[in-house]
Amino acid sequence: MLHHMTTRVSDQRALADRFGRVATDLRVSLTDRCNLRCSYCMPAEGLDWLPGEQVLTDDEVVRLIGVAVQHLGVHEVRFTGGEPLVRRGLVDIVRRTRALGDDLDVSMTSNALGLARTATALAEAGLDRVNVSLDTVRADTFHTITRRDRFDDVVAGLAAAQAAGLGPVKVNAVLLRGVNDDQAPELLRWCLDHGYDLRFIEQMPLDAQHGWHRDAMVTADEIFAMLEQEFVLEPAEEPRGSAPAELFTVDGGPGTVGVIASVTRPFCGDCDRVRLTADGQVRNCLFAREESDLRTAMRAGASDEELADRWVVAMRGKAAGHGIDDETFLQPARPMSAIGG
Ligand code: SAM
Ligand code: SF4
């Protein structure tokens, strides 16, 4: 049965890999579906969504999060997708996750469509914070990037999140050459005016269409150069630790801006993340080429202990780095929306 398929690695279990890193931050994808079609993420026609029976039920998701928190030392849970707000059971999943521990940090990365309606319920259920993805503050550019005319909904969602206490509200932005790469300063100005913490993220080779090219990517150095034409940036005192953003105060503070140079200055050596896909696969890295199937084991009757053992084994295979700059680099088979960004 399942027993001889798993290896007990140690009694004091943690999600440690062979390079001394320990994962304590769990990213949980609640669905691979989305109501936007950001060009760097999905093709216009969408993707073949996971068949319903493969997607974990609410009970199954909460059980696996419980295994991670209660057996494996995870103390941060972030819901993502696809778009987590399209998952019907979201508020209940948040509530049951919160019940796993008051000191658990529970957050969500979202495109904010519909957040205006649910922000209060999510805060009451125990969500601590949200990160909202927004790459432009121009409605026409928003439409170009996301292929949907929903800019106002995102703005309303952000405001509702702030009002509901889901702060500090962070905004994640990706710059695309020839599309919004001239808009970095105005996006920062807008975020400072609204009290949102902006983070630029370098575009990564994770789109379903495999349209990423190193030469076309807007680099962190370019982003700094553009921002410094209008703002004075100084390294913020906050230690970087495992947080991937390089943080700067803007014009003497208190506003800050971050740049996440995943490609040009990888932070793999400090990575403390592990991912669970909507269909119950553990991924030890965004760029992993292998996954460990917890869903099948769980549905076959594995105990929490056995699931924890499998998870530990899955982490041992984590690679030292993503290797995007290696000639042998291969994009993972699944796109970002299916892995959970
Ligand atoms: N739908 C939610 C959202 O957009 O926030 C959550 C999922 S989305 C995949 C998570 C994050 O990944 C977003 O901030 C998005 O901008 C980012 N993302 C998607 N594709 C990316 C890519 N190819 N390179 C860098 N970031 C990407
Ligand atoms: Fe949807 Fe987020 Fe991907 Fe945009 S980045 S298509 S909002 S999953």
Side-chain angles (χ1 to χ4, degrees):
M1 278 247 328
L2 289 164
H3 282 98
H4 56 260
M5 290 169 66
T6 55
T7 321
R8 168 141 295 198
V9 174
S10 97
D11 282 318
Q12 242 208 325
R13 281 170 300 176
L15 294 174
D17 66 27
R18 294 165 298 154
F19 302 98
R21 296 167 299 187
V22 178
T24 55
D25 175 350
L26 173 62
R27 310 276 156 139
V28 181
S29 173
L30 292 178
T31 176
D32 59 331
R33 294 174 190 244
C34 189
N35 37 18
L36 293 182
R37 295 285 182 274
C38 305
S39 63
Y40 49 78
C41 184
M42 282 194 201
E45 64 277 15
L47 297 164
D48 291 332
W49 310 124
L50 289 167
E53 71 275 7
Q54 288 182 19
V55 176
L56 299 181
T57 64
D58 294 359
D59 286 349
E60 289 173 333
V61 177
V62 173
R63 177 166 172 211
L64 289 181
I65 296 172
V67 168
V69 171
Q70 287 162 345
H71 295 270
L72 297 169
V74 162
H75 52 71
E76 239 184 292
V77 175
R78 172 173 295 274
F79 294 108
T80 178
E83 177 44 50
L85 287 171
V86 305
R87 171 103 188 199
R88 218 173 296 141
L90 175 65
V91 172
D92 197 47
I93 292 171
V94 168
R95 182 175 298 112
R96 293 167 68 188
T97 300
R98 165 56 59 216
L100 294 168
D102 282 342
D103 50 356
L104 191 63
D105 188 280
V106 184
S107 61
M108 174 174 78
T109 299
S110 165
N111 64 24
L113 296 187
L115 188 57
R117 282 194 307 281
T118 45
T120 304
L122 286 167
E124 284 170 5
L127 191 69
D128 291 312
R129 285 173 295 111
V130 292
N131 283 19
V132 170
S133 304
L134 180 64
D135 309 317
T136 174
V137 286
R138 296 186 202 170
D140 56 342
T141 309
F142 184 89
H143 187 268
T144 304
I145 295 176
T146 68
R147 305 182 175 110
R148 298 286 185 275
D149 196 14
R150 306 292 298 274
F151 174 66
D152 292 346
D153 298 77
V154 180
V155 173
L158 273 164
Q162 185 92 302
L166 293 173
V169 174
K170 290 186 185 164
V171 169
N172 295 345
V174 177
L175 292 180
L176 304 173
R177 204 173 291 289
V179 180
N180 64 340
D181 59 339
D182 56 338
Q183 300 179 24
E186 79 183 60
L187 186 55
L188 176 55
R189 177 75 61 203
W190 188 88
C191 287
L192 292 170
D193 288 348
H194 289 79
Y196 307 140
D197 293 344
L198 177 62
R199 306 271 180 276
F200 290 98
I201 306 175
E202 281 180 344
Q203 188 187 359
M204 295 180 280
L206 285 169
D207 57 317
Q209 315 88 293
H210 292 226
W212 183 91
H213 294 288
R214 179 74 148 92
D215 309 340
M217 185 192 79
V218 181
T219 64
D221 286 344
E222 289 178 74
I223 298 169
F224 288 129
M226 290 186 285
L227 294 177
E228 281 176 333
Q229 289 182 3
E230 295 194 26
F231 302 95
V232 177
L233 305 185
E234 277 161 326
E237 277 177 18
E238 196 175 304
R240 187 170 165 191
S242 62
E246 296 176 56
L247 257 198
F248 299 84
T249 56
V250 183
D251 292 342
T256 60
V257 65
V259 180
I260 304 181
S262 329
V263 179
T264 58
R265 286 195 280 280
F267 36 88
C268 302
D270 292 323
C271 179
D272 61 356
R273 296 180 183 177
V274 56
R275 297 182 143 81
L276 180 66
T277 65
D279 56 344
Q281 313 294 307
V282 167
R283 294 183 66 95
N284 55 34
C285 170
L286 258 183
F287 294 92
R289 305 203 42 86
E290 284 173 17
E291 302 179 336
S292 300
D293 183 3
L294 293 188
R295 182 190 78 234
T296 302
M298 176 166 57
R299 290 185 181 171
S303 67
D304 283 5
E305 294 281 314
E306 286 164 344
L307 292 169
D309 283 342
R310 280 174 175 268
W311 207 322
V312 167
V313 172
M315 286 313 285
R316 306 294 294 178
K318 178 161 172 148
H322 56 46
I324 292 175
D325 276 335
D326 300 349
E327 273 177 32
T328 53
F329 175 75
L330 282 174
Q331 203 175 316
R334 296 220 241 188
M336 181 81 133
S337 56
I339 296 168

